Amino acid sequence: MRVPPFARYQRLLASFGLLLSGAIIGSAVYMSIHQHTYNELYVQLHKVLQENENLTSDIANLKKTKNNQTLVNVVNVHLLPKNDTDIFSDDIQKEIEGDIKSELKVVIGQKASFVGDAQPLYERMITQRTYFLHDKKYVVQVKSIVLIQTELTIWITAEEKKT
């Protein structure tokens, strides 16, 4: 039996190897683009669900106190970076704001005059709170609390605590 010379199949084998490596590289590029797009959609979905939850709770609170204009209807929380190097991702920012907002749900439905007098109490409730998010610790400080008519707005700063 005669064995055919390898030189005859050398170009065919090189072409097949080039085709196979192109397919592998192409599929890797396609998967990276697909994963990036999926991640963007997930972040958008998380934002929309959080916004929907906030609007639903705002509607429920407004319905509860629609006939009484002297009660606090809405609590807004805004997270500001402590300095230029502390920039948080949207997920962490929304989670911290949501946690503070859920702690201050007791304010909704109370008289605005009582809430105005008890601002130091609410400030102490929030200040020096530690939150564990994504395996990191964040310490929250209150920058200012403002009560305008039926809306309580709180500006806070958060700092990642190194341990």
Side-chain angles (χ1 to χ4, degrees), residues 118-128 142-143 145:
Q119 281 185 4
L121 172 69
Y122 299 124
E123 185 174 343
R124 275 186 262 134
M125 251 175 72
I126 300 168
T127 301
Q128 294 298 323
V142 175
K143 210 158 171 107
I145 298 176

Side-chain angles (χ1 to χ4, degrees), residues 12-163:
L12 182 63
L13 194 59
S15 299
F16 179 71
L18 190 60
L19 178 72
L20 187 62
S21 64
I24 291 171
I25 292 171
S27 64
V29 168
Y30 173 76
M31 278 307 291
S32 68
I33 291 171
H34 177 72
Q35 286 295 331
H36 177 72
T37 306
Y38 184 78
N39 190 32
E40 291 293 321
L41 285 174
Y42 179 76
V43 168
Q44 282 181 342
L45 175 69
H46 187 68
K47 284 181 185 177
V48 168
L49 289 176
Q50 185 68 31
E51 185 178 345
N52 185 17
E53 182 180 317
N54 290 341
L55 291 174
T56 305
S57 66
D58 287 346
I59 288 172
N61 294 332
L62 289 172
K63 281 183 181 178
K64 184 171 75 174
T65 60
K66 69 181 175 184
N67 293 330
N68 197 345
Q69 294 299 318
T70 61
L71 301 180
V72 174
N73 295 332
V74 179
V75 175
N76 293 324
V77 179
H78 302 287
L79 178 64
L80 303 171
K82 196 160 193 155
N83 50 32
D84 293 335
T85 60
D86 292 338
I87 305 252
F88 301 114
S89 68
D90 289 338
D91 291 340
I92 292 173
Q93 185 173 354
K94 292 294 182 189
E95 286 185 40
I96 291 175
E97 288 175 357
D99 290 344
I100 299 289
K101 204 171 188 181
S102 66
E103 286 179 20
L104 293 174
K105 276 189 176 179
V106 297
V107 174
I108 296 173
Q110 292 184 357
K111 290 188 176 182
S113 60
F114 176 74
V115 173
D117 293 340
Q119 281 185 4
L121 172 69
Y122 299 124
E123 185 174 343
R124 275 186 262 134
M125 251 175 72
I126 300 168
T127 301
Q128 294 298 323
R129 252 318 155 87
T130 304
Y131 292 98
F132 297 98
L133 302 170
H134 304 289
D135 298 330
K136 294 180 183 176
K137 290 182 184 179
Y138 295 96
V139 178
V140 175
Q141 296 285 333
V142 175
K143 210 158 171 107
S144 65
I145 298 176
V146 177
L147 177 65
I148 300 174
Q149 292 182 358
T150 63
E151 185 174 328
L152 181 68
T153 305
I154 300 171
W155 284 274
I156 58 172
T157 59
E159 183 177 35
E160 184 178 339
K161 189 174 184 181
K162 309 278 190 213
T163 55

